[in-house]
Amino acid sequence: MATLADAGLTFSTLPHPAPTSAETREAILANPGFGTHFSDHMVTVEWTEGKGWHDAVVGPRQPLALDPAAAVLHYAQEIFEGLKAYKQADGAVALFRPAANAARFNTSAQRLAMPEVPEELFIEAIERLVQADSAWIPGAEGASLYLRPFMIATEAFLGVRPAKQYKFIVIASPAGNYFKSGAPAVSIWVSDYTRAAPGGTGAAKCGGNYAASLVPQAEAIARGHDQVVFLDAAEHKWIEELGGMNLYFVFEDGTLLTPALTGTILPGITRDSLLQLAREEGLKVEEGRYSLEEWRADAASGKLIETFACGTAAVVTPVGKVSGRAGDFIIGSGGPGQVTSKLKNRLVSIQRGEAADTHGWIRKIDCK
């Protein structure tokens, strides 16, 4: 298989003229929050029609220079991913399933008429940034270095067609807990808005999907909730996903259900990992449809005992309360359930190197 070097693509490194001081960095890592602080470096790689990928650089994190007519600003050709670098129990640094992120990134690229990023380039870009900024990886329990690979169309033009120039970028942010409330379980609001429709971009990880979720998310927060849940576009009946996470439902008979991937739901990597772990735990796992009314009725009868959301940022988060135009209902005891806690602990233990990785999910990085 051809390598990046075979293709003539090598990374150059630019020194940072004024890196963050150790004292300032340690103060940030003590309480990083989520998405508000950033490490010193970034990776950039250019793509030009007829030339392909070129000019791969690890350099100082800095503002981008874009022409006002750059296609991303007018036609939203933009995609992104999210994954984390973890400090493991033995002190090593590792990524969790980066090849799966690379594959999903390219699925998004196909849907947005953008060039694919070779898996080797995607992963090497991430690893080089982690190596450059390994001092930014928090060591506290539950903390990590959140990595954001993204691609934007940079060609300056105002015609409606795929751009001929793109920039692939990776930045990093030390991360603590995703939800600020600190509650044992989150409360969610059933939105009247639609996140995605059949034939749309629901299965792609593109900025437009998230921009469309901001108004309903703000509505949920204004009503005192942590997140918003969307129903399907056709019947406004079937549960799809939260603003940025997949959902799971746990029943008293040991069944675990998650909405099926029908093209309107993002195929979460955490979602897929939990499917595999749940089967290993002996649970009956199903992917299918589940309506809001079934959710309400099953919670009231006790048939449904747990609901949890999952994603890279929030990992596994119990859902305790659901509210909507038709009223509220509580799930189980309103707090974390046994199945939710067991699956979360299994997943996190693998990510942290505290349990054997029997799936080949962990990719260690040499940061020495």
Side-chain angles (χ1 to χ4, degrees), residues 33-81:
F34 187 88
T36 56
H37 301 284
F38 298 92
S39 66
D40 289 318
H41 296 87
M42 63 192 287
V43 172
T44 59
V45 192
E46 306 287 341
W47 186 92
T48 306
E49 186 178 64
K51 187 176 182 180
W53 292 104
H54 59 93
D55 292 336
V57 178
V58 182
R61 182 180 177 274
Q62 58 188 349
L64 300 176
L66 285 176
D67 190 284
V72 65
L73 303 176
H74 301 272
Y75 306 115
Q77 270 193 294
E78 181 272 351
I79 58 173
F80 67 97
E81 272 298 321

Side-chain angles (χ1 to χ4, degrees), residues 78-96:
E78 181 272 351
I79 58 173
F80 67 97
E81 272 298 321
L83 65 161
K84 292 177 176 178
Y86 303 89
K87 277 189 178 175
Q88 297 205 299
D90 62 0
V93 174
L95 302 175
F96 181 74

Side-chain angles (χ1 to χ4, degrees), residues 94-155:
L95 302 175
F96 181 74
R97 301 189 68 181
N101 288 98
R104 188 172 65 180
F105 192 80
N106 283 331
T107 298
S108 297
Q110 293 167 10
R111 183 62 183 87
L112 274 291
M114 303 172 79
E116 294 186 30
V117 177
E119 179 182 310
E120 184 184 358
L121 173 57
F122 183 93
I123 293 176
E124 184 170 347
I126 290 167
E127 289 186 341
R128 284 179 176 268
L129 180 58
V130 172
Q131 289 168 336
D133 284 341
S134 60
W136 283 89
I137 305 174
E141 182 178 351
S144 59
L145 184 66
Y146 183 81
L147 300 157
R148 171 55 60 87
F150 64 102
M151 178 165 48
I152 59 173
T154 55
E155 183 189 0

Side-chain angles (χ1 to χ4, degrees), residues 188-205:
I188 60 179
W189 173 257
V190 180
S191 180
D192 294 327
Y193 289 89
T194 297
R195 175 187 173 274
T201 60
K205 199 166 178 67

Side-chain angles (χ1 to χ4, degrees), residues 7-32:
L9 182 61
T10 58
F11 280 81
S12 61
T13 301
L14 300 178
H16 199 299
T20 305
S21 69
E23 293 78 11
T24 299
R25 186 179 62 244
E26 290 306 312
I28 291 171
L29 296 184
N31 185 24

Side-chain angles (χ1 to χ4, degrees), residues 82-312:
L83 65 161
K84 292 177 176 178
Y86 303 89
K87 277 189 178 175
Q88 297 205 299
D90 62 0
V93 174
L95 302 175
F96 181 74
R97 301 189 68 181
N101 288 98
R104 188 172 65 180
F105 192 80
N106 283 331
T107 298
S108 297
Q110 293 167 10
R111 183 62 183 87
L112 274 291
M114 303 172 79
E116 294 186 30
V117 177
E119 179 182 310
E120 184 184 358
L121 173 57
F122 183 93
I123 293 176
E124 184 170 347
I126 290 167
E127 289 186 341
R128 284 179 176 268
L129 180 58
V130 172
Q131 289 168 336
D133 284 341
S134 60
W136 283 89
I137 305 174
E141 182 178 351
S144 59
L145 184 66
Y146 183 81
L147 300 157
R148 171 55 60 87
F150 64 102
M151 178 165 48
I152 59 173
T154 55
E155 183 189 0
F157 81 107
L158 296 179
V160 182
R161 60 160 172 78
K164 297 180 180 180
Q165 295 175 342
Y166 297 87
K167 189 184 290 285
F168 172 61
I169 305 167
V170 188
I171 58 175
S173 173
N177 290 328
Y178 182 75
F179 290 108
K180 299 179 178 66
S181 67
V186 296
S187 172
I188 60 179
W189 173 257
V190 180
S191 180
D192 294 327
Y193 289 89
T194 297
R195 175 187 173 274
T201 60
K205 199 166 178 67
C206 58
N209 291 344
Y210 293 80
S213 75
L214 296 180
V215 166
Q217 178 66 45
E219 180 183 37
I221 292 173
R223 293 175 178 273
H225 304 285
D226 301 290
Q227 258 288 351
V228 61
V229 61
F230 294 102
L231 305 179
D232 72 293
E235 299 180 72
H236 207 66
K237 172 181 179 180
W238 306 102
I239 299 160
E240 296 216 321
E241 65 174 83
L242 300 191
M245 290 171 281
N246 298 116
L247 276 173
Y248 269 97
F249 307 94
V250 184
F251 298 90
E252 60 180 351
D253 66 356
T255 299
L256 186 69
L257 171 67
T258 190
L261 301 178
T262 59
T264 58
I265 295 174
L266 185 72
I269 293 164
T270 305
R271 173 190 181 276
D272 180 70
S273 303
L274 292 171
L275 281 173
Q276 298 183 55
L277 295 178
R279 292 189 178 102
E280 293 171 9
E281 291 292 329
L283 296 170
K284 179 184 177 183
V285 178
E286 297 180 355
E287 297 178 73
R289 297 203 298 180
Y290 193 53
S291 72
L292 176 61
E293 289 310 309
E294 287 174 313
W295 195 9
R296 182 187 302 276
D298 290 346
S301 70
K303 179 181 177 181
L304 176 81
I305 56 175
E306 301 173 40
T307 297
F308 63 85
C310 64
T312 298

